[in-house]
Amino acid sequence: MRTRHAFPTFRSIGLWFLLLLCQAMALAVSTPAQAHGDTVKVVVTGQREGHVTADITWENDGDAINETVAATVNAVSPDGARSAGPWKLVRDTGKPAGWTTAEALPPGSWKVSVDVGFPALGHGDKEVAVPVVDPAPATSPVAPQPAASTAPDASATPSAAAPGASADPSPSSASSSAPQAAGDDNGGDGTLWWTTAGVAATALAGAAAGVLLRRARARRLRS
């Protein structure tokens, strides 16, 4: 009696292929995590200008975490009177494993704790001291020098006016000099009158002499 071999149907083949594909994807995703481990190492390195700094690496091999890190930062003063956070961590440029906060702690002593929830769990804490930074002294603006004044000095005005005042004649001297000037004018007018009279007399004498000479010639011609 012959027996028939059951051949797998297309539906069963598809289910087996889908199962194998899911297993391969699970292995591909879990391989990096298994290589690095399931925890991260958090080391709070200190602060820079009040910004908390930390190094976060994989616990097993110490490699830097290339993916996004979800972490919170909290800080509390030693007496518990002041607290800061929770703040997020952002990448510290120039450091592969470096992370920092965008916010800054005020001056003082702080106990800082960092808790990481992704890509794996991790925790770190440290006491950090933020020094007081003296503000830079403000440079006072240089006052502009006053421009040289061109107005005359008031103290020099009386002395400058003194010569002018002494040069002006007084009323008495002006009145005494007025007759003298008048006399000089009269003397000048008299001299001019005598000169005019002399010229006229000379002209008359010349005319008379000419008339006499003509008469004398006429008499000579008649005789």
Side-chain angles (χ1 to χ4, degrees), residues 45-72:
T45 56
Q47 59 84 30
R48 184 173 61 249
E49 297 180 356
H51 301 275
V52 178
T53 57
D55 289 342
I56 302 177
T57 57
W58 290 105
E59 182 74 29
N60 289 353
D61 52 14
D63 291 343
I65 300 176
N66 297 326
E67 50 193 312
T68 303
V69 171
T72 57

Side-chain angles (χ1 to χ4, degrees), residues 88-104:
K88 295 190 303 181
L89 282 178
V90 295
R91 284 198 177 273
D92 194 356
T93 57
K95 297 181 179 180
W99 296 81
T100 185
T101 58
E103 299 82 3

Side-chain angles (χ1 to χ4, degrees), residues 156-169:
T157 303
S159 60
S166 61
D168 293 340

Side-chain angles (χ1 to χ4, degrees), residues 43-154:
V43 178
V44 179
T45 56
Q47 59 84 30
R48 184 173 61 249
E49 297 180 356
H51 301 275
V52 178
T53 57
D55 289 342
I56 302 177
T57 57
W58 290 105
E59 182 74 29
N60 289 353
D61 52 14
D63 291 343
I65 300 176
N66 297 326
E67 50 193 312
T68 303
V69 171
T72 57
V73 179
N74 292 277
V76 62
S77 60
D79 56 1
R82 297 185 299 169
S83 61
W87 297 335
K88 295 190 303 181
L89 282 178
V90 295
R91 284 198 177 273
D92 194 356
T93 57
K95 297 181 179 180
W99 296 81
T100 185
T101 58
E103 299 82 3
L105 291 170
S109 297
W110 301 89
K111 183 178 180 180
V112 178
S113 60
V114 178
D115 293 289
V116 180
F118 182 84
L121 298 179
H123 174 80
D125 56 56
K126 183 180 181 179
E127 290 187 2
V128 175
V130 181
V132 178
V133 179
D134 296 332
T139 57
S140 58
V142 179
Q145 296 294 332
S149 177
T150 57
D153 191 0

Side-chain angles (χ1 to χ4, degrees), residues 13 30-31 107 148 158 186:
I13 294 176
S30 61
T31 299
N186 293 334

